[in-house]
């Protein structure tokens, strides 16, 4: 059970109203943030991202080449950020044939 507090302009104190439903704003008050729309990057955008990363300065303790490698790995494997962050050298078998270098 949720407790919602409402106050009117005429009253000086807040009035407590109990409700079993979560508050849902009306469609008129909800704004959509277009920056959060997920979509696939185009080939041109991918090349721009990789080139910008490779030539970029040190950011978050990563060189441009390290960011380039991270982004290229993410794009080619489909791994999420948390999965990429958890990778260690033990996950890779560089002596194996191509296509089998990653051990999940």
């Amino acid at each position: 059970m949720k407790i919602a507090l409402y106050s009117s302009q005429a009253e000086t104190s807040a009035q407590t109203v109990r409700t079993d439903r979560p508050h849902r704003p009306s469609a008129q008050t909800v704004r959509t943030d277009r920056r959060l729309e997920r979509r696939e990057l185009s080939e041109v955008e991918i090349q721009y991202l990789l080139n910008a990363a490779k030539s970029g300065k040190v950011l978050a303790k990563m060189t441009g080449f390290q960011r380039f490698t991270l982004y290229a790995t993410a794009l080619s494997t489909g791994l999420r950020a948390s999965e990429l962050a958890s990778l260690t050298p033990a996950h890779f078998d560089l002596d194996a044939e191509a296509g089998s270098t990653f051990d999940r």
Side-chain angles (χ1 to χ4, degrees):
M1 177 180 293
K2 297 210 179 233
I3 297 176
L5 297 177
Y6 297 96
S7 65
S8 69
Q9 294 175 347
E11 298 176 355
T12 57
S13 64
Q15 174 184 5
T16 303
V17 177
R18 293 182 183 269
T19 177
D20 291 312
R21 295 183 296 161
H23 173 68
R24 292 201 174 112
S26 69
Q28 295 172 342
T29 62
V30 175
R31 282 189 263 164
T32 303
D33 189 348
R34 295 280 183 206
R35 294 175 297 171
L36 300 179
E37 250 181 49
R38 292 181 184 219
R39 63 179 179 77
E40 191 173 303
L41 294 177
S42 69
E43 289 294 323
V44 172
E45 291 170 319
I46 289 171
Q47 287 306 313
Y48 182 79
L49 172 69
L50 294 176
N51 289 336
K54 187 184 274 187
S55 62
K57 60 183 179 182
V58 174
L59 183 65
K61 299 181 182 178
M62 292 180 72
T63 66
F65 183 74
Q66 289 171 327
R67 272 195 317 285
F68 166 79
T69 305
L70 180 70
Y71 296 162
T73 303
L75 289 165
S76 63
T77 62
L79 292 174
R80 296 183 175 120
S82 61
E83 294 169 325
L84 288 167
S86 69
L87 291 178
T88 64
H91 287 99
F92 298 90
D93 181 6
L94 300 179
D95 295 327
E97 293 181 29
S100 59
T101 57
F102 179 69
D103 180 26
R104 270 194 170 172

